[in-house]
Amino acid sequence: MSPLSRARNAAALLTLPVLLTACSAAGTEQAASGPPKAGGTLRLGISSAPDCIDPQQTSTNASINVSRQLADSLTDQDPKSGEIKPWLAEKWESNADSTAFTFHLRSGATFSDGTPVDAAAVKTSFDGLKALGTKAPLGYGYLAGYRGTTVVDPRTARIEFSAPSAQFLQASSTVSLAVLAPAAFQKTPEQRCQGTGLIGSGPFVFESLKQNQEIVLAKRKGYTWGSSLFKHQGEAYLDKIDYKIVPEPGVRTGSLASGQLDAITDVQPVDEPQFTGNGFTENIRPNPGVVFNLHANTTRGVLTDEKVRQAVLKGVDRTEVVNTVLTPSYKPATSILGSATPLHSDLSAQLAYDQKGAAALLDGDGWVPGADGIRTKNGQRLSAAVVFSPVFNQNRSVLELIQQQLRKIGFDLKIEQHTNAETTQIQLAGNYDFLWYNVTRADPDILRGQFSTKSGNRSRLTPGNPLDVALDAQSSTVDNAKRKPAADEAQKLIVDHAYAVPVFELTQVVAQSAKAHAVDFEASSRLQLFDAWLS
């Protein structure tokens, strides 16, 4: 591939939203022999150029995998249990209706310019993030209803919302709400995107950026306030992280195999087998959040008929999709939420492949097979189109297999590929039958953004429906014992009414050479490299 083609490829990949490419469960890296040691530069091959490395403005996986190392958050989230744990805040509490959260900051943490991480800095950071508006695509949503931050005292900040926002506690653990130094806001958002004036309190600091080539981070000297979930305390092991931008999967895997790279992200299913031995290891984690799914517009064509949507749900063989197009690293969907999402419900029985059941539903609904096998009813053909963008390498192959599966029940699925920007416009206009996408977040509130009539409403439902009630209920308390029944109900309603047809969980696959260790994931399946080391 020519340098120009590579540049175009990288430029195209810049637009991929993190919301459409993400994964999470326990990693599979084998225990390394010998204790971790300090020093060295990790050469890490990533699949696309970060569009921005300011944590507050990040919108792609590549961006978050860089910015997570630069800035700390008030809290952290346990990847296994989903529990929120201390980081910059040593403790916190919320009021009864989850409209106010008070964080008590640990002492001693500083930003890389030497200023303290105090309540005033928290206020400046959150106010600054809110002022970014849509330039902060993830964080702005997490701060919906933000009324402001009160500096109670130098180590205590109270953050208030105009409506219940239980999701904010988990959001406080994400890189999108990481705390930046007051001095960072003296630079423009565009400057911070390129690393200029990007001042965080993280274990690494920005060193250099070569557009579409590499980004280098260096160890923060004197760092001693790591997350309570980190495997060691003190400074990071690595001296530097050198992110090499290598868009072509074959070049990326070849560079790891030849020793030019120490680890790579986004290992494609076809390339996985070559890194399951011979001194290589793979670290694998499925994404939490909304799984890859066919999200139905219930106001369009044949999809206005619930029995048709339910037949499609029964007519998709999720196990065949994973076994044929993907690898054992990927999981068939067991709910609209991935299995790594806190408060996930196991609805695998409702999502079992049932070709006969699908045919029976359509027969009973008056859909008659035509000469070509596709059913018709009152002159209408049983057909709908799915809109997708190739943000995941295997998307088209998956959809082509689903297309074949649905033909067996007499349903004609048409496949429409668009750029990510085009897909976004189509979604906003409601000009689709099915949308194909996934969204990553380690909190069930991610459903509210896609299904609530007060938010994304991708199903185009009528306000005040039972799903709205369940989504609002799960957002009103941080008490999981009280929150779970509402989250369970929301997932059940989505599957029962086939507002969306869950298919599979996206998975993050990182391959490491024998030299690299603990290139690991946090709860949202983004890279956390504080504990990474080289032998």
Side-chain angles (χ1 to χ4, degrees):
M1 183 177 286
S2 71
L4 179 59
S5 297
R6 285 178 181 158
R8 286 174 179 156
N9 196 356
L13 284 163
L14 289 179
T15 63
L16 305 191
V18 72
L19 295 181
L20 295 176
T21 57
C23 316
S24 176
T28 60
E29 183 190 3
Q30 299 169 357
S33 58
K37 58 180 261 185
T41 298
L42 175 71
R43 301 167 300 168
L44 177 63
I46 59 176
S47 62
S48 61
D51 56 345
C52 175
I53 61 171
D54 175 9
Q56 295 187 346
Q57 299 180 71
T58 51
S59 62
T60 66
N61 275 348
S63 299
I64 290 178
N65 284 338
V66 175
S67 61
R68 176 72 283 180
Q69 324 312 321
L70 297 170
D72 300 329
S73 299
L74 290 171
T75 64
D76 203 356
Q77 185 175 19
D78 190 319
K80 294 178 181 176
S81 69
E83 187 178 355
I84 304 302
K85 297 286 192 178
W87 196 344
L88 290 176
E90 56 188 9
K91 61 180 181 177
W92 52 88
E93 57 267 352
S94 63
N95 63 356
D97 64 356
S98 299
T99 57
F101 298 79
T102 302
F103 293 90
H104 305 273
L105 304 176
R106 66 192 296 168
S107 61
T110 61
F111 296 105
S112 57
D113 64 353
T115 59
V117 180
D118 58 13
V122 171
K123 174 177 172 56
T124 300
S125 191
F126 279 82
D127 288 351
L129 192 158
K130 190 66 176 178
L132 285 170
T134 55
K135 288 182 179 179
L138 302 180
Y140 188 74
Y142 297 163
L143 287 183
Y146 175 74
R147 293 179 61 182
T149 299
T150 300
V151 178
V152 178
D153 61 49
R155 288 179 56 192
T156 310
R158 185 172 68 248
I159 300 167
E160 297 181 85
F161 296 85
S162 59
S165 188
Q167 62 83 31
F168 174 71
L169 185 57
Q170 187 275 336
S172 73
S173 73
T174 67
V175 69
S176 300
L177 298 190
V179 181
L180 297 181
F185 297 94
Q186 295 172 12
K187 299 295 184 180
T188 66
E190 292 73 23
Q191 286 174 315
R192 293 202 305 273
C193 268
Q194 301 302 309
T196 302
L198 184 53
I199 306 166
S201 65
F204 292 90
V205 294
F206 173 75
E207 183 170 289
S208 65
L209 181 153
K210 293 180 183 175
Q211 202 65 48
N212 291 332
Q213 295 182 50
E214 70 174 357
I215 296 171
V216 179
L217 309 183
K219 177 192 297 191
R220 167 83 189 276
K221 300 294 185 182
Y223 183 86
T224 60
W225 47 88
S227 161
S228 58
L229 291 171
F230 289 174
K231 294 181 180 122
H232 79 282
Q233 293 300 306
E235 297 177 357
Y237 292 128
L238 298 170
D239 288 334
K240 293 187 180 182
I241 307 168
D242 187 355
Y243 295 85
K244 300 287 190 182
I245 298 157
V246 189
E248 302 88 341
V251 175
R252 207 161 56 248
T253 55
S255 298
L256 177 61
S258 66
Q260 297 175 67
L261 295 172
D262 303 308
I264 60 172
T265 66
D266 302 289
V267 178
Q268 297 301 308
V270 68
D271 295 321
E272 280 189 48
Q274 65 181 294
F275 298 121
T276 54
N278 304 316
F280 294 98
T281 56
E282 288 179 345
N283 204 359
I284 299 166
R285 192 172 198 272
N287 281 26
V290 175
V291 300
F292 265 116
N293 73 98
L294 296 163
H295 196 136
N297 180 344
T298 64
T299 67
R300 292 259 297 199
V302 301
L303 300 184
T304 60
D305 186 337
E306 184 167 303
K307 285 187 169 59
V308 168
R309 301 197 305 269
Q310 291 168 335
V312 171
L313 185 133
K314 290 177 179 291
V316 173
D317 188 342
R318 295 155 186 81
T319 301
E320 184 183 36
V321 168
V322 168
N323 290 344
T324 304
V325 181
L326 304 170
T327 71
S329 298
Y330 295 77
K331 295 182 178 182
T334 56
S335 174
I336 186 62
L337 291 177
S339 57
T341 317
L343 306 186
H344 159 270
S345 295
D346 186 353
L347 302 176
S348 49
Q350 292 91 316
L351 294 175
Y353 178 52
D354 184 6
Q355 183 180 340
K356 290 182 179 178
L361 271 174
L362 295 172
D363 288 340
D365 201 30
W367 291 95
V368 180
D372 62 352
I374 301 303
R375 295 172 182 262
T376 60
K377 177 181 177 180
N378 299 328
Q380 184 178 26
R381 189 173 169 85
L382 189 59
S383 177
V386 55
V387 170
F388 86 103
S389 56
V391 293
F392 173 58
N393 189 263
Q394 303 298 314
N395 271 348
R396 175 169 282 280
S397 297
V398 167
L399 289 172
E400 288 174 347
L401 178 54
I402 292 173
Q403 182 183 54
Q404 295 170 25
Q405 293 173 348
L406 293 181
R407 285 195 71 86
K408 295 177 183 177
I409 65 169
F411 189 101
D412 178 25
L413 181 69
K414 298 183 184 299
I415 300 172
E416 295 183 2
Q417 180 172 328
H418 296 271
T419 66
N420 190 63
E422 290 168 348
T423 300
T424 298
Q425 290 306 310
I426 289 169
Q427 174 217 315
L428 292 174
N431 190 25
Y432 56 87
D433 301 329
F434 282 120
L435 281 177
W436 174 258
Y437 70 96
N438 83 305
V439 188
T440 296
R441 189 181 178 190
D443 190 273
D445 194 67
I446 190 67
L447 295 176
R448 200 157 51 103
Q450 320 309 314
F451 291 90
S452 171
T453 62
K454 303 169 189 175
S455 188
N457 196 15
R458 295 185 175 194
S459 301
R460 294 299 194 261
L461 302 177
T462 303
N465 64 79
L467 180 55
D468 269 354
V469 175
L471 292 172
D472 286 348
Q474 65 79 35
S475 72
S476 66
T477 176
V478 296
D479 183 341
N480 278 347
K482 296 178 180 177
R483 197 179 182 202
K484 181 168 173 53
D488 287 344
E489 178 68 7
Q491 293 169 75
K492 184 175 185 298
L493 286 168
I494 290 166
V495 170
D496 284 352
H497 294 285
Y499 295 141
V501 177
V503 179
F504 76 94
E505 300 184 15
L506 182 60
T507 296
Q508 298 299 324
V509 182
V510 169
Q512 305 170 123
S513 71
K515 181 180 177 183
H517 310 278
V519 178
D520 217 340
F521 303 110
E522 38 90 284
S524 296
S525 296
R526 318 303 187 198
L527 291 181
Q528 177 56 270
L529 301 176
F530 175 78
D531 291 305
W533 59 283
L534 296 169
S535 57

